[in-house]
Amino acid sequence: MAFSTSRFLAILMKEFIQMRRDRMTFAMMIAIPIMQLMLFGFAINSDPRHLPTLVEVHDSGPFVRRFLAAMETSTYFDIRGTVAGSRDVDRVLKAGNANFVVTIPENFERDIIRGEKPVLLVAADASDPSTSGSATSALSVLAQNTINSLATGPLSYLASTPDAFSVVAHARYNPAAITSYNIVPGLLAVIISMTMVMITAIAIVRESERGTMETLLATPARAPEVMLGKIIPYVFIGYVQTCVFFILAFWVFAVPFAGPITPFIIGLNIFIIVNLALGFLFSTIAGNQMQAMQMSFFYMLPSILLSGFMFPFAAMPGWAQTIGLVIPSTHFMRILRKIMLKGADLPDIVPDLRALLIILAAVSILAMLRYKRTLD
Amino acid sequence: MTQETATPVIEVEGLVKKFGDKTVVDQFDINVPKGAIYGFLGPNGSGKTTTIRMLCGLLTPDAGSGRCLGYDILRQSDNIKEHVGYMTQKFSLYEDLTIRENLDFMARMYRVPDRKQKVDKALEELGLANRSHQQAGELSGGWKQRLALAACLLHGPDLLLLDEPTAGVDPKARRDFWDEIRRLSDAGVTVLVSTHYMDEAIQCDNIAYIAYGKKLIDGPARKIPEMVGLNTWRVEGPDLANLAADLEGSDGIEQVARFGSALHISGMDAKKLDNAVNPFRKDKRYTWTSKPAGLEEVFIHLMSGSTDNFAEKKAA
Ligand SMILES: Nc1ncnc2c1ncn2[C@@H]1O[C@H](COP(=O)(O)OP(=O)(O)O)[C@@H](O)[C@H]1O
Ligand SMILES: [Mg+2]
């Protein structure tokens, strides 16, 4: 199996020319990330306001009054009334009467001043985690601000004590609450996966439908030449999408990028190629463009649902995790979150890269075996 | 010439191809000598395209074996593809690529040395040099066919497989096309060409006729009439159109064809044909001559469908 650079380049260049002339597809490639980011970023509102809140107050000093007022003015919380006792808390949360119950313990103010670090208990209905996540974190900022505003005169030492109290949030029903920052980085995996798989799956089936496959097959081209030549042009589409994605992610959603760029780029390249190879594999199975499209959509389901994008991976049942592990998005999702949110470096993502490379090898071998060099 | 002595360019035996439970090519043998123009005739759906595809490794035969350009058709299709120029029945270059881009693509695929010059030369010879930046999809049928031929000649193939290359092309373009085929053949290129046109079949050195996937006739063109065994009456006189209408459909008359100022009336069974013709021979305005069928009648006969052919063979 002699690999010919000449033939590989011929296919590569042809593919580039066709891509450039197919304005519609090219426009779609740019529109899809923008649309998805807007839909997921805004429709799944990860930073909602005016959430119905109940309070259970066992202390009525000036600090607590001021804190409750601050909660209202923050616009995150609408204080709808009070509850009494933890039974009541369970009831209102279950009934959906409130998303939050904030419990201020007895002698809260006194304990703060004494430096005893009292506990502010927040029971949150986290069944819709994106609702509760940011509000919970807002709460502790609010409490700290309240303390700072009171920290004058003899109490000024409190201002320099950031943990004068602690907020204990009980995220009920969904302990691994996903935050907004979790959604947006994961979207990059979803966007790339969706478009890369579909675009290659279609690109090859299109040759069969237009009849040009017969010319291609009549030439002495070998499977790896065709596969590489057809895949590599779309890597650039992947880059363009990534750029569009980050412009929006930074600008509209202010998503952090904590880690270094190099491991990200390594992961990105491998991930793009895995998905293109997968699309190529699909195209060797699909009979026409419609089928290729359907297969791509069918693949999107597990890659959105089982990759840890929608639901926390660790909380999924064993069989779902097993499926999740063979989906490239799962591993890239981890790389993205580790690097963007946790500031991880190359050594931290080695296991995920290894998993991606194993999937890549398996998919490529399968695709090459399935790629028919005849019209049978 | 040396044709008979040299090893054949195509030499296959017992090729079978099935799609589902339908046998599309059945026990096909062929022997194509070097430099020959081998005509491949048969009605639509008879298996010509399928056979050609098996010869160049695009389809895997279900049975049979053989060699093409000295390479095994089952195991060495990579080598075969390097030396074969295959022109598909339907235009299958890239319509969204320009003429030059298509030629350049093909030249790279076959690793043609001096690619740039070869492509320039091909464009020049095609007469498309000044339109080389036009997309192939914009070309008319005749130009597409010339482009496709130029594309499969770039790498200087030893064997040309042409699948109905002139379908839907005007007569002038067809004549030019055949001049080119003849030139290539004289230069030692072997040509296997499937066709529907009688005037093209006549230009071939050898003819293989296939129907329902079975090869029925195969031989040098000049021997074909004798092999088919068609009997013909030639009639001259006035008002041939009416006479033709009267003759058509009579038992024993399979074909009535107009040749200039004469009608050729043919049938497989000489006795039946005579019986059918005899009543008309009384009309003194017409002159009737019995003659052996020529290539033309035979090809018209062959191309006009093979059902009769099959039926006669079975009855005999
Ligand atoms: N890929 C295929 N799958 C199923 N049937 C096919 C396929 N290709 C050709 N056929 C059938 O095989 C028969 C022969 O086709 P073909 O070789 O194209 O004939 P020809 O070229 O002589 O017109 C036809 O009946 C056609 O419908
Ligand atoms: Mg055909």
Side-chain angles (χ1 to χ4, degrees), chain B residues 10 16 27 30 47 65 84 87-88 100 110 119 128 142 177 186 203-204 215 220 231 241 269 301 312:
Chain B
I10 303 176
V16 174
Q27 294 295 331
I30 201 166
S65 62
V84 166
M87 186 170 158
T88 54
R100 176 182 286 280
Y110 288 97
V119 170
L128 282 174
F177 187 87
D186 290 344
Q203 307 216 32
C204 298
K215 194 179 74 179
N231 308 286
D269 188 321
H301 177 74
E312 294 289 338

Side-chain angles (χ1 to χ4, degrees), chain B:
Chain B
M1 287 196 287
T2 55
Q3 277 182 15
E4 269 76 34
T5 51
T7 48
V9 170
I10 303 176
E11 191 180 17
V12 295
E13 267 180 12
L15 285 192
V16 174
K17 184 69 193 177
K18 294 181 179 149
F19 290 117
D21 53 4
K22 191 170 146 201
T23 305
V24 167
V25 175
D26 196 3
Q27 294 295 331
F28 182 86
D29 311 321
I30 201 166
N31 217 306
V32 179
K34 185 170 176 357
I37 300 180
Y38 220 104
F40 198 14
L41 273 63
N44 264 329
S46 54
K48 301 184 296 294
T49 301
T50 307
T51 306
I52 292 176
R53 283 174 173 169
M54 284 192 282
L55 293 176
C56 64
L58 282 177
L59 285 174
T60 320
D62 293 313
S65 62
R67 301 178 89 74
C68 192
L69 293 163
Y71 299 108
D72 189 295
I73 59 161
L74 298 176
R75 279 179 297 276
Q76 295 176 298
S77 58
D78 280 339
N79 303 73
I80 296 175
K81 286 173 179 176
E82 301 261 8
H83 302 284
V84 166
Y86 172 42
M87 186 170 158
T88 54
Q89 182 171 353
K90 187 180 150 287
F91 182 74
S92 62
L93 290 172
Y94 296 91
E95 303 217 335
D96 50 352
L97 257 54
T98 65
I99 294 161
R100 176 182 286 280
E101 285 162 354
N102 267 304
L103 290 174
D104 200 61
F105 172 75
M106 292 300 273
R108 282 177 195 269
M109 290 307 279
Y110 288 97
R111 295 187 287 181
V112 173
D114 305 321
R115 192 183 70 247
K116 180 91 177 55
Q117 288 95 306
K118 286 260 172 58
V119 170
D120 283 338
K121 190 159 155 274
L123 283 169
E124 208 58 56
E125 286 172 0
L126 266 173
L128 282 174
N130 53 346
R131 291 165 69 188
S132 64
H133 293 291
Q134 211 174 337
Q135 289 190 15
E138 295 166 11
L139 292 173
S140 69
W143 282 109
K144 274 185 180 163
Q145 166 251 353
R146 297 181 64 185
L147 173 62
L149 179 66
C152 72
L153 288 175
L154 278 170
H155 61 293
D158 301 317
L159 171 64
L160 271 181
L161 300 173
L162 310 173
D163 195 0
E164 294 191 32
T166 57
V169 169
D170 66 80
K172 160 89 170 70
R174 256 167 55 198
R175 221 173 16 253
D176 293 346
F177 187 87
W178 274 89
D179 287 345
E180 172 78 10
I181 298 300
R182 181 56 65 190
R183 252 197 312 280
L184 287 162
S185 160
D186 290 344
V189 178
T190 309
V191 182
L192 179 68
V193 53
S194 79
T195 180
H196 250 119
Y197 297 107
M198 182 195 73
D199 57 333
E200 293 185 354
I202 288 169
Q203 307 216 32
C204 298
D205 304 325
N206 293 278
I207 299 289
Y209 179 77
I210 179 174
Y212 300 108
K214 287 196 171 70
K215 194 179 74 179
L216 300 181
I217 300 162
D218 186 1
R222 66 197 134 78
K223 290 198 186 142
I224 295 291
E226 181 188 321
M227 292 167 103
V228 173
L230 195 66
N231 308 286
T232 295
W233 278 96
R234 177 185 166 93
V235 55
E236 277 170 299
D239 198 13
L240 288 172
N242 270 334
L243 180 65
D246 292 340
L247 285 163
E248 211 124 29
S250 315
D251 190 34
I253 297 180
E254 283 158 43
Q255 168 186 314
V256 179
R258 181 87 185 239
F259 283 86
S261 62
L263 279 183
H264 290 196
I265 300 132
S266 317
M268 292 297 289
D269 188 321
K271 255 198 217 112
K272 273 188 176 177
L273 180 68
D274 290 349
N275 288 342
V277 163
N278 278 337
F280 295 92
R281 292 183 62 193
K282 295 186 182 100
D283 191 333
K284 291 298 165 216
R285 293 180 297 156
Y286 297 102
T287 45
W288 293 78
T289 30
S290 179
K291 72 183 244 338
L295 262 179
E296 280 92 345
E297 292 96 88
V298 170
F299 288 140
I300 293 174
H301 177 74
L302 291 178
M303 300 318 292
S304 65
S306 60
T307 33
D308 302 343
N309 212 322
F310 253 125
E312 294 289 338
K313 281 236 151 93
K314 279 205 182 108

Side-chain angles (χ1 to χ4, degrees), chain A residues 50-358:
Chain A
H50 301 293
L51 301 167
T53 305
L54 296 174
V55 288
E56 187 183 0
V57 186
H58 297 289
D59 183 343
S60 55
F63 170 80
V64 172
R65 281 201 304 278
R66 205 182 262 239
F67 173 64
L68 292 178
M71 274 176 69
E72 291 247 54
T73 45
S74 76
T75 70
Y76 272 114
F77 308 96
D78 270 356
I79 296 177
R80 298 275 169 87
T82 56
V83 284
S86 63
R87 278 273 213 55
D88 234 10
V89 173
D90 273 343
R91 192 180 49 75
V92 297
L93 285 178
K94 268 211 181 97
N97 294 341
N99 284 83
F100 292 98
V101 177
V102 179
T103 305
I104 297 167
E106 271 175 70
N107 303 325
F108 185 66
E109 187 172 340
R110 191 199 65 194
D111 290 350
I112 288 179
I113 294 167
R114 284 189 184 168
E116 287 181 4
K117 308 192 180 199
V119 169
L120 186 69
L121 184 68
V122 183
D125 175 357
S127 59
D128 180 359
S130 54
T131 325
S132 57
S134 52
T136 309
S137 48
L139 204 59
S140 68
V141 178
L142 285 178
Q144 189 61 50
N145 287 350
T146 312
I147 292 173
N148 291 353
S149 69
L150 286 172
T152 50
L155 294 179
S156 56
Y157 67 93
L158 280 178
S160 54
T161 331
D163 47 358
F165 69 97
S166 58
V167 173
V168 172
H170 284 181
R172 302 208 178 179
Y173 316 131
N174 183 358
I178 303 169
T179 71
S180 66
Y181 288 165
N182 238 351
I183 288 266
V184 174
L187 260 181
L188 179 61
V190 173
I191 290 166
I192 289 184
S193 181
M194 183 167 189
T195 44
M196 293 294 105
V197 168
M198 202 182 319
I199 203 171
T200 26
I202 288 176
I204 294 150
V205 177
R206 200 173 47 200
E207 295 242 13
S208 315
E209 281 192 0
R210 291 189 184 167
T212 52
M213 200 63 185
E214 195 169 358
T215 296
L216 191 58
L217 291 177
T219 70
R222 313 295 204 271
E225 296 156 6
V226 177
M227 182 162 164
L228 278 180
K230 284 209 158 265
I231 276 180
I232 287 175
Y234 297 107
V235 172
F236 290 89
I237 295 266
Y239 291 162
V240 174
Q241 289 193 321
T242 305
C243 289
V244 172
F245 169 85
F246 273 113
I247 290 171
L248 284 178
F250 290 145
W251 184 43
V252 180
F253 297 100
V255 175
F257 198 107
I261 192 91
T262 317
F264 166 76
I265 288 177
I266 295 173
L268 176 73
N269 279 298
I270 299 174
F271 182 64
I272 289 177
I273 293 171
V274 175
N275 279 288
L276 292 172
L278 200 58
F280 192 96
L281 177 62
F282 285 174
S283 76
T284 62
I285 301 164
N288 52 46
Q289 291 196 46
M290 193 63 195
Q291 280 176 19
M293 198 88 105
Q294 283 169 339
M295 286 174 72
S296 313
F297 276 119
F298 187 76
Y299 168 70
M300 282 321 288
L301 275 180
S303 78
I304 287 181
L305 297 178
L306 303 181
S307 62
F309 174 67
M310 294 290 259
F311 312 117
F313 194 82
M316 297 193 312
W319 61 266
Q321 291 196 11
T322 311
I323 299 176
L325 280 179
V326 300
I327 295 173
S329 299
T330 305
H331 304 283
F332 189 54
M333 206 85 70
R334 290 179 184 172
I335 293 176
L336 283 172
R337 286 178 180 158
K338 280 181 187 172
I339 294 178
M340 289 175 65
L341 307 178
K342 300 181 193 163
D345 206 338
L346 195 56
D348 306 306
I349 62 163
V350 164
D352 311 301
L353 290 179
R354 194 186 302 134
L356 281 179
L357 286 173
I358 291 170

